[in-house]
Amino acid sequence: MTLDEALAALRAGAEPGRAESMAAYHKVARTYLGTPNPAINDLTKTWRQDLSLNERLILAGALWNTNIHEAMLAAAKLLTQARIRPDSAAWDLICAWVPDFDGWAVADHACMAGQRRITADLSRLDRVEGWTRSEHMWTRRAALVITLPLSKSNHPKPDEAAARERVLGWAASYVSDRDWFIQKAVAWWIRDLSKHDPARAQAFLDQHGAAMKPFARKEAGKYLVKPTG
């Protein structure tokens, strides 16, 4: 599968008029083909099955570098897989993409690929922690999005519980950041945590909620039981 072949397949799935609406919606200056997500999913599922890991890595890197919206999503989807062995090259490639993040759609797809690599090796949080100090807002945000699986365990193992607390520390440090996307990311993490450990989510809001933007505080507590009486 060459880059040209992959791009031709993505273009073949485009829907008339969709590219213009996508460009208006995402508000990021890059090429949009107008290919819907289900079509990209179908293509990348086939490519994952047909290509070796090394071939996927090469294709993913090439697709990302096109700066075409759907190609970048396809790059991330090529590496979104629970079991990749060995996975260090995939992890390094995903990390190399982080400075390029400039919008939620591309960033979130790449982070979804990275989430699987985090859960496969929690020591990778050491690298992610550096992102929390970046001047690049999307890099700071990625530290929370890529660690979302840590919020979703009902019975975390000791190392998972420690990792969860580590990320909650990052989230706490973000509360004073007034950027909408950062506040949204904090709210997203606490909201997801509240479905699995409501007491810990409530404790976070008790300590930090007053300093959060009202919309973020409301979103974070969406699934928490409100006191009565």
Side-chain angles (χ1 to χ4, degrees):
M1 170 69 63
T2 67
L3 174 61
D4 287 344
E5 290 170 339
L7 290 176
L10 287 167
R11 288 190 176 98
E15 297 178 351
R18 187 179 179 89
E20 293 79 8
S21 63
M22 289 176 64
Y25 176 69
H26 290 290
K27 297 181 176 64
V28 177
R30 62 168 44 98
T31 299
Y32 296 83
L33 303 179
T35 311
N37 254 321
I40 303 173
N41 289 339
D42 290 343
L43 286 171
T44 52
K45 180 180 179 180
T46 298
W47 297 345
R48 283 197 306 268
Q49 294 170 345
D50 293 347
L51 299 176
S52 68
L53 175 56
N54 189 57
E55 289 170 335
R56 278 193 285 145
L57 289 167
I58 293 170
L59 181 58
L63 285 166
W64 184 272
N65 289 336
T66 64
N67 199 36
I68 297 171
H69 179 81
E70 291 87 347
M72 297 173 82
L73 300 193
K77 291 174 186 292
L78 273 172
L79 302 182
T80 305
Q81 183 179 341
R83 301 185 71 178
I84 299 178
R85 294 181 179 175
D87 71 345
S88 58
W91 170 242
D92 287 342
L93 182 57
I94 293 164
C95 290
W97 292 340
V98 174
D100 297 333
F101 292 173
D102 55 6
W104 64 266
V106 164
D108 288 1
H109 276 84
C111 284
M112 286 177 65
Q115 287 171 3
R116 306 299 184 92
R117 311 283 54 86
I118 291 286
T119 54
D121 184 353
L122 291 176
S123 71
R124 289 171 173 155
L125 290 177
D126 292 344
R127 187 171 187 174
V128 176
E129 185 164 6
W131 303 354
T132 67
R133 298 183 290 273
S134 174
E135 295 182 0
H136 181 226
M137 181 275 289
W138 293 105
T139 296
R140 296 197 305 278
R141 176 183 179 273
L144 293 188
V145 180
I146 208 168
T147 55
L148 271 171
L150 296 173
S151 71
K152 298 179 180 180
S153 175
N154 290 326
H155 304 289
K157 298 176 182 177
D159 59 339
E160 294 169 339
R164 175 182 286 180
E165 288 302 316
R166 185 177 185 180
V167 178
L168 283 168
W170 303 346
S173 74
Y174 283 6
V175 166
S176 61
D177 190 322
R178 310 319 285 168
D179 188 280
W180 188 93
F181 283 102
I182 295 295
Q183 290 281 314
K184 180 70 173 179
V186 173
W188 189 1
W189 223 96
I190 303 305
R191 183 196 66 194
D192 280 9
L193 177 63
S194 73
K195 300 175 187 177
H196 306 277
D197 190 345
R200 184 63 184 91
Q202 186 63 62
F204 183 95
L205 287 176
D206 288 344
Q207 185 173 1
H208 303 289
M212 295 169 67
K213 285 192 171 184
F215 87 88
R217 183 169 61 249
K218 181 178 180 180
E219 178 68 14
K222 181 176 181 179
Y223 299 113
L224 292 172
V225 177
K226 304 298 189 296
T228 59

